Amino acid sequence: MKRVTLLVITILLVIITYGDVKYNSTGINSATLFVILVFFTIVSILLTLIIDRKTLKKRYLEKEKELKLLNNELEETNKELESSYNKIEKLNSSILKTLELSSFFAAPKLMEKDFEKKVLELALEIIEPAENGSIYLFDEKDNAKMVFAKGYNYQKINELNLKMGELIIPENAKVVKNIHEINKIKMSSEKFKEFESLGGDLKETLITPIVFNDELFGIITLDILNNDHINNFEDYHTKIMDYFGKTFAGFLKMLKFIKQEGKFHKDIALILVKALEYYDNYTRGHSERVATWASLIAEKMNFDKPKIEQIYWAGVLHDIGKIFISQSILNKAGRLLPEEYEKIKLHPVKGEELINKVDEMKYISKIIRHHHERYDGKGYPDGLIGENIPIESRILTVVDSFDAMISDRPYKKPLSKKQALDELKKMSWKQFDGKIVEIFYDIINSNEDIDNKNNKDK
């Protein structure tokens, strides 16, 4: 604007001067006036440039300042976006791991010796700031047992015999700072001193109750150590752990029910076996010995724990079908007539029919059905051959026959242990699976304690 004004003034001067030159009576020649006009024109241009330069510089500095402010705002926004993105990524990761937790808890067979370890490791993976942690489970006497821990000697901590009332148990997942200050109040001075030395110097502890419909199973604790000056637990961590705790509690409730139901079935099974022992004089102690030996063979063959348990209970119940056979036949002092023997041969099928009615024992019923099959196909009830016979049934066949051979009967004298083992070897790959016979041979010769125990049972 200033430059335009100067140019207008200059043009006016030129016009005025030109008019003066044309009608001038002063006597100044035109050359001089022209020089003056050029001078003023140059001066006006220089002044315009100087003013424009200052104006432009000022505007540049202002714009530069504005750009710097915008750049700083953008950097802050980027940082916030990056932080939000990282949080979202962590949250997504936590959600996926929590969903993994749900699938992890879906199978009731997961209650193995390192189960608690897997649960705690998953919790520590989901809640990234946590360095150490533990799981306490409570019993009906309000004892608080640390079943697993990372960063702590939980065997030593369990020697303190902690009670529920000595621990912090919030209603929902909660972050507690300097937890030992509260522990000091809840515990005796002697117990607290030992607990503090085992627990370490803690900055924050995230405590999650394991509760299902007001039934409290225990707590999960996740810890940040005092030497960590960066990390802290955040609100979304407590929300995730609330879900984690409830899911874990639901799983424990399911396991509790399964155990109770399983115990009920086993109690019924033992009652049936006791009834059979009164019904059939010759089966007393026999089923327990068969079950013990069968489970030992299964362990030697590296079967998993559930499979070993199945074989054990199949051994306990393998003769339960004899309840359907007449006592006069079962307790007959002499040898059986052919028609009586045919009735005896029904007991595996009757046993299967009885046990098959319990859902949890359906697989066991199949083992029971085939425990009198022979490797050469000459057994009963189905005449199965070789490996078509379930491996569990082949195991029962060996130990059932061995115990029958060394047992005293009115119609025969018992064989010695060596004689019975020789008979098993003689009938390998005919009546018996030879590999199982070899394994059982080693067990009998290397487990005198088991052998002595079984002899006492007899």
Side-chain angles (χ1 to χ4, degrees):
M1 190 70 184
K2 291 177 181 178
R3 182 174 63 179
V4 173
T5 303
L6 286 171
L7 286 172
V8 170
I9 293 169
T10 302
I11 292 168
L12 288 172
L13 287 171
V14 170
I15 293 169
I16 293 166
T17 304
Y18 176 76
D20 286 343
V21 170
K22 190 173 181 181
Y23 303 103
N24 190 352
S25 57
T26 57
I28 300 173
N29 61 42
S30 59
T32 303
L33 287 173
F34 180 77
V35 171
I36 292 169
L37 286 173
V38 170
F39 173 76
F40 276 110
T41 302
I42 292 171
V43 169
S44 66
I45 291 170
L46 288 173
L47 287 172
T48 301
L49 290 172
I50 291 168
I51 292 169
D52 279 353
R53 186 174 179 276
K54 287 183 178 181
T55 302
L56 288 171
K57 184 177 181 181
K58 184 179 179 181
R59 287 181 180 175
Y60 172 78
L61 292 173
E62 288 174 353
K63 291 294 182 184
E64 186 180 33
K65 188 177 180 181
E66 287 178 14
L67 286 171
K68 282 182 179 179
L69 289 171
L70 286 171
N71 187 53
N72 290 336
E73 287 178 8
L74 281 171
E75 285 182 358
E76 290 298 318
T77 303
N78 283 335
K79 286 179 182 178
E80 288 177 9
L81 286 172
E82 187 176 355
S83 176
S84 298
Y85 175 78
N86 289 335
K87 285 183 179 179
I88 290 169
E89 282 293 300
K90 288 179 181 178
L91 189 58
N92 285 338
S93 176
S94 298
I95 290 169
L96 288 173
K97 288 168 185 173
T98 308
L99 290 172
E100 178 187 340
L101 170 71
S102 300
S103 62
F104 178 60
F105 288 155
K109 295 298 182 185
L110 286 174
M111 199 57 167
E112 52 197 43
K113 62 182 179 180
D114 60 345
F115 171 75
E116 293 88 0
K117 177 184 175 183
K118 291 179 180 178
V119 171
L120 184 61
E121 285 176 347
L122 188 55
L124 289 168
E125 189 178 354
I126 291 171
I127 310 300
E128 293 180 355
E131 300 168 69
N132 296 336
S134 63
I135 297 176
Y136 290 89
L137 294 181
F138 306 144
D139 64 19
E140 62 279 358
K141 296 181 180 178
D142 292 341
N143 295 311
K145 182 181 179 183
M146 188 182 280
V147 292
F148 192 75
K150 181 189 175 186
Y152 308 114
N153 187 330
Y154 61 97
Q155 288 91 349
K156 284 284 186 184
I157 289 175
N158 284 330
E159 290 175 7
L160 298 176
N161 297 317
L162 294 171
K163 297 287 185 180
M164 283 176 59
E166 294 173 314
L167 298 175
I168 302 168
I169 306 172
E171 291 185 4
N172 298 297
K174 180 181 179 181
V175 177
V176 178
K177 298 181 184 295
N178 302 317
I179 191 170
H180 288 316
E181 292 179 6
I182 303 174
N183 291 332
K184 189 174 183 179
I185 299 169
K186 297 178 77 69
M187 298 179 187
S188 66
S189 57
E190 184 179 344
K191 185 178 285 190
F192 169 72
K193 186 178 179 181
E194 184 69 19
F195 184 78
E196 184 183 31
S197 66
L198 292 168
D201 190 11
L202 305 179
K203 174 183 171 184
E204 289 184 359
T205 301
L206 174 52
I207 306 174
T208 304
I210 307 168
V211 62
F212 183 86
N213 288 344
D214 297 327
E215 183 176 359
L216 183 65
F217 290 92
I219 57 172
I220 303 170
T221 67
L222 304 177
D223 303 311
I224 298 175
L225 304 183
N226 236 338
N227 57 13
D228 187 341
H229 304 296
I230 300 172
N231 292 308
N232 293 93
F233 291 121
E234 299 185 39
D235 288 341
Y236 77 94
H237 291 141
T238 60
K239 291 176 183 176
I240 289 171
M241 284 308 296
D242 261 331
Y243 178 80
F244 191 104
K246 286 180 174 63
T247 306
F248 186 21
F251 177 71
L252 292 178
K253 181 69 175 178
M254 179 178 64
L255 278 180
K256 184 178 179 181
F257 174 76
I258 290 170
K259 282 185 176 181
Q260 288 173 342
E261 187 180 38
K263 185 178 184 302
F264 173 75
H265 290 153
K266 289 170 184 177
D267 288 345
I268 294 296
L270 290 173
I271 290 170
L272 287 171
V273 170
K274 288 296 179 186
L276 176 62
E277 288 180 353
Y278 285 110
Y279 189 73
D280 179 7
N281 296 330
Y282 303 134
T283 61
R284 192 159 299 163
H286 168 71
S287 296
E288 182 60 33
R289 291 192 296 274
V290 168
T292 300
W293 281 326
S295 58
L296 285 172
I297 291 174
E299 286 177 13
K300 286 286 186 181
M301 296 178 76
N302 296 318
F303 286 16
D304 60 29
K305 189 176 179 180
K307 184 73 73 179
I308 294 169
E309 188 175 355
Q310 285 177 341
I311 291 172
Y312 177 83
W313 283 102
V316 169
L317 295 166
H318 75 283
D319 277 340
I320 199 66
K322 287 183 178 180
I323 286 178
F324 296 94
I325 311 300
S326 170
Q327 273 187 298
S328 61
I329 296 175
L330 291 175
N331 296 317
K332 185 176 180 179
R335 289 193 174 276
L336 297 173
L337 297 173
E339 59 269 23
E340 292 173 331
Y341 182 59
E342 288 301 317
K343 290 181 179 178
I344 286 286
K345 286 167 65 176
L346 291 174
H347 81 271
V349 176
K350 292 297 182 182
E352 180 200 24
E353 290 175 359
L354 182 63
I355 301 303
N356 191 49
K357 297 185 185 301
V358 182
D359 287 341
E360 294 296 319
M361 295 188 173
K362 285 186 182 294
Y363 187 76
I364 290 174
S365 71
K366 296 299 179 186
I367 301 173
I368 291 170
R369 179 183 178 90
H370 298 297
H371 79 276
H372 274 292
E373 303 284 359
R374 288 173 51 115
Y375 201 82
D376 57 12
K378 296 178 181 179
Y380 61 88
D382 299 317
L384 300 181
I385 300 175
E387 294 190 4
N388 290 325
I389 306 167
I391 182 68
E392 301 90 342
S393 300
R394 281 180 267 153
I395 291 172
L396 285 188
T397 302
V398 171
V399 295
D400 184 32
S401 298
F402 178 80
D403 190 72
M405 284 189 281
I406 64 173
S407 297
D408 194 9
R409 294 288 187 271
Y411 53 85
K412 74 170 187 68
K413 291 182 180 180
L415 299 180
S416 68
K417 182 176 70 174
K418 183 179 181 306
Q419 288 173 323
L421 289 173
D422 288 343
E423 187 66 21
L424 290 178
K425 283 194 168 185
K426 178 182 174 183
M427 296 302 293
S428 289
W429 308 115
K430 297 175 184 177
Q431 184 175 353
F432 310 113
D433 184 324
K435 290 180 181 178
I436 294 172
V437 170
E438 288 179 11
I439 293 168
F440 185 57
Y441 186 93
D442 292 338
I443 288 172
I444 291 297
N445 286 308
S446 62
N447 286 276
E448 292 296 331
D449 291 339
I450 296 294
D451 190 45
N452 291 335
K453 176 183 179 298
N454 285 338
N455 286 330
K456 286 179 184 178
D457 292 338
K458 287 166 63 181

